[in-house]
Amino acid sequence: MSPIKTSFISLLIIVSMGVAVAVAGKTHVIDFQWPNLYPEGMAWDLLAQHFIVGSLNHRTIHSVSDAGVVETLISDPALPENVTVLGLTVDFTKNRLLACLHSVSPLPPFNALVAYDLRTRRRLFLSLLPSDPDFPIASIGRGRDVANDVAVDFKGNAYVTNSVGNFIWKVNEEGEAWIFSRSPAFSRYPSVMGKNEPFNDCGLNGIAYVSKGYLLVVQSNTGKMFKVDEENGKARTVLLNQDLVMPDGIAIRRDGVVLVVSTQKLWFLKSDDSWGEGVVYDKTALEEEGFATSVVVGEEGRAYVLYGHVMEGINGKEREGFKIVEVRSEKESGEEHVWIYVLLGLGLAYFLIWRFQMKQLVNNMDKKIN
């Protein structure tokens, strides 16, 4: 047997088995500790290679390493007392962190977008987000505005969802804010939630920017998804094969797959027509106790959800432990396993062919010797 052939076969088998072990391995679970942090929003910082989380109770923003090491990234005591840090996103083109700020009752109404330089950690602007003058809160009896989630385009424009007002703010790179989209599509569908259910008035929620020139937004109390033009704010409903139940955060993978999280499930969606229509092709059950509220695409395109136990924080409980957990699509994992078996089969077939040829070679040599 040739040493080269022996090495090649051994390498092929070892690599195939290594790939099989890697794919079949356990998902990445990050446990981290911080007293009463109760993070609702999460972002992934590609340059620094860590997660960034907000807080229900603190005027701070924290980084979380893949090993669960927590550090205070931003501490801004100039912010209003007891302000809540909700949605977060990283503007990679300008190395900025954008965060939604909101104050809950009985504190005075406050909604803003704050931007920080991630290199110096200096605040760049604090932009107050205006209420809709055509629909004052007192006249229509709805709850106060809620700046919930934020996305950013490549020009540095930020888009912020108002969950109760059901419209979208836009904030330019200089911090100038205005109401960007009040599309009738956002109020076309009735809430599927009961009046006494928590967050029954939570409308527009997770938002993500697509480089083709539009935004994808989910609406929690109707289960709908909308496609919003980045230039004029016109919105249309994305036709899905099934409604989503209390969707919250949204993220987009490099391959175009959209991830939508709720407290119960992570949905995997795809579209063949730039989100005129979409298909939920898989969903993974989540740990309900953890109250997942945010999803990001981390290193190597892996999906991570945040278990921030927000309901415990709202109810005044105390907690130190939280989790960021990798979540996989069972269907995609199954397809990967098929390829592993194919590789192993090819390796085995090559080995058997080689053994057969070697046996023939030995027999021929014996005949010549005899």
Side-chain angles (χ1 to χ4, degrees), residues 13 66 75 119 199-200 218 242 245 267 315 340 351 364:
I13 294 174
D66 59 2
S75 179
R119 184 179 62 84
F199 311 110
N200 68 328
V218 291
Q242 60 179 271
V245 180
W267 290 279
N315 293 329
I340 290 169
F351 179 71
N364 291 335

Short mmCIF file of all heavy atoms in Angstrom, two decimals, residues 13 66 75 119 199-200 218 242 245 267 315 340 351 364:
data_model
loop_
_atom_site.label_atom_id
_atom_site.label_comp_id
_atom_site.label_asym_id
_atom_site.label_seq_id
_atom_site.Cartn_x
_atom_site.Cartn_y
_atom_site.Cartn_z
N ILE A 13 -11.15 10.02 6.14
CA ILE A 13 -12.01 9.45 7.17
C ILE A 13 -12.01 10.32 8.42
O ILE A 13 -13.06 10.60 9.02
CB ILE A 13 -11.55 8.02 7.51
CG1 ILE A 13 -11.78 7.11 6.30
CG2 ILE A 13 -12.31 7.49 8.72
CD1 ILE A 13 -11.22 5.72 6.47
N ASP A 66 -18.39 35.41 24.45
CA ASP A 66 -18.90 34.07 24.20
C ASP A 66 -18.66 33.13 25.37
O ASP A 66 -19.20 32.03 25.43
CB ASP A 66 -18.32 33.48 22.92
CG ASP A 66 -16.81 33.39 22.94
OD1 ASP A 66 -16.20 33.74 23.98
OD2 ASP A 66 -16.22 32.95 21.94
N SER A 75 -22.03 53.55 30.28
CA SER A 75 -22.72 54.00 31.49
C SER A 75 -22.97 55.50 31.30
O SER A 75 -22.02 56.28 31.21
CB SER A 75 -21.86 53.74 32.73
OG SER A 75 -22.53 54.21 33.89
N ARG A 119 -15.81 53.17 19.60
CA ARG A 119 -14.37 53.24 19.87
C ARG A 119 -14.10 54.07 21.12
O ARG A 119 -13.38 53.63 22.03
CB ARG A 119 -13.63 53.84 18.67
CG ARG A 119 -12.12 53.86 18.82
CD ARG A 119 -11.45 54.45 17.58
NE ARG A 119 -11.86 55.84 17.37
CZ ARG A 119 -11.30 56.89 17.96
NH1 ARG A 119 -10.30 56.72 18.81
NH2 ARG A 119 -11.72 58.11 17.70
N PHE A 199 -49.29 42.90 26.93
CA PHE A 199 -48.79 43.43 25.66
C PHE A 199 -49.81 43.34 24.52
O PHE A 199 -49.43 43.24 23.36
CB PHE A 199 -47.49 42.70 25.26
CG PHE A 199 -46.48 42.60 26.36
CD1 PHE A 199 -46.19 41.38 26.95
CD2 PHE A 199 -45.81 43.73 26.80
CE1 PHE A 199 -45.25 41.29 27.97
CE2 PHE A 199 -44.87 43.64 27.82
CZ PHE A 199 -44.59 42.42 28.41
N ASN A 200 -51.08 43.39 24.86
CA ASN A 200 -52.10 43.31 23.81
C ASN A 200 -52.09 44.54 22.90
O ASN A 200 -52.63 44.51 21.80
CB ASN A 200 -53.49 43.10 24.41
CG ASN A 200 -53.97 44.32 25.18
OD1 ASN A 200 -53.16 45.03 25.77
ND2 ASN A 200 -55.27 44.56 25.19
N VAL A 218 -42.10 43.29 11.94
CA VAL A 218 -43.15 42.39 12.43
C VAL A 218 -44.04 43.14 13.42
O VAL A 218 -43.60 44.06 14.10
CB VAL A 218 -42.57 41.12 13.09
CG1 VAL A 218 -41.91 40.23 12.06
CG2 VAL A 218 -41.58 41.47 14.20
N GLN A 242 -48.22 31.18 7.07
CA GLN A 242 -48.84 31.11 8.39
C GLN A 242 -48.52 32.39 9.16
O GLN A 242 -47.44 32.98 8.97
CB GLN A 242 -48.37 29.89 9.18
CG GLN A 242 -46.87 29.86 9.44
CD GLN A 242 -46.45 28.64 10.24
OE1 GLN A 242 -46.43 28.66 11.47
NE2 GLN A 242 -46.12 27.57 9.53
N VAL A 245 -47.03 34.07 15.87
CA VAL A 245 -47.72 34.29 17.15
C VAL A 245 -46.82 35.14 18.04
O VAL A 245 -45.76 34.72 18.45
CB VAL A 245 -48.05 32.96 17.84
CG1 VAL A 245 -48.77 33.22 19.16
CG2 VAL A 245 -48.90 32.08 16.93
N TRP A 267 -38.74 31.31 14.47
CA TRP A 267 -39.17 30.94 13.13
C TRP A 267 -38.06 31.19 12.13
O TRP A 267 -37.32 32.18 12.23
CB TRP A 267 -40.40 31.75 12.70
CG TRP A 267 -41.67 31.41 13.42
CD1 TRP A 267 -42.53 30.37 13.16
CD2 TRP A 267 -42.26 32.13 14.52
NE1 TRP A 267 -43.59 30.40 14.02
CE2 TRP A 267 -43.46 31.47 14.87
CE3 TRP A 267 -41.90 33.27 15.24
CZ2 TRP A 267 -44.29 31.91 15.90
CZ3 TRP A 267 -42.71 33.71 16.26
CH2 TRP A 267 -43.89 33.04 16.58
N ASN A 315 -42.37 42.44 36.85
CA ASN A 315 -43.12 42.11 38.07
C ASN A 315 -42.34 42.39 39.35
O ASN A 315 -42.79 42.04 40.45
CB ASN A 315 -43.54 40.63 38.04
CG ASN A 315 -44.57 40.36 36.95
OD1 ASN A 315 -45.37 41.22 36.60
ND2 ASN A 315 -44.54 39.16 36.38
N ILE A 340 -22.95 14.77 5.62
CA ILE A 340 -21.92 14.05 6.38
C ILE A 340 -21.93 12.58 6.02
O ILE A 340 -20.89 11.95 5.80
CB ILE A 340 -22.16 14.23 7.89
CG1 ILE A 340 -21.85 15.67 8.28
CG2 ILE A 340 -21.27 13.30 8.71
CD1 ILE A 340 -22.28 16.03 9.67
N PHE A 351 -12.18 3.57 0.05
CA PHE A 351 -11.36 2.63 0.80
C PHE A 351 -11.58 1.20 0.30
O PHE A 351 -10.63 0.43 0.11
CB PHE A 351 -11.68 2.74 2.29
CG PHE A 351 -10.90 1.79 3.15
CD1 PHE A 351 -9.54 1.96 3.35
CD2 PHE A 351 -11.52 0.70 3.75
CE1 PHE A 351 -8.80 1.08 4.13
CE2 PHE A 351 -10.80 -0.18 4.53
CZ PHE A 351 -9.43 0.01 4.72
N ASN A 364 -1.93 -10.90 -8.52
CA ASN A 364 -1.15 -10.89 -9.76
C ASN A 364 0.34 -11.10 -9.48
O ASN A 364 1.04 -11.79 -10.22
CB ASN A 364 -1.36 -9.58 -10.52
CG ASN A 364 -2.78 -9.46 -11.07
OD1 ASN A 364 -3.44 -10.48 -11.30
ND2 ASN A 364 -3.25 -8.23 -11.30
#
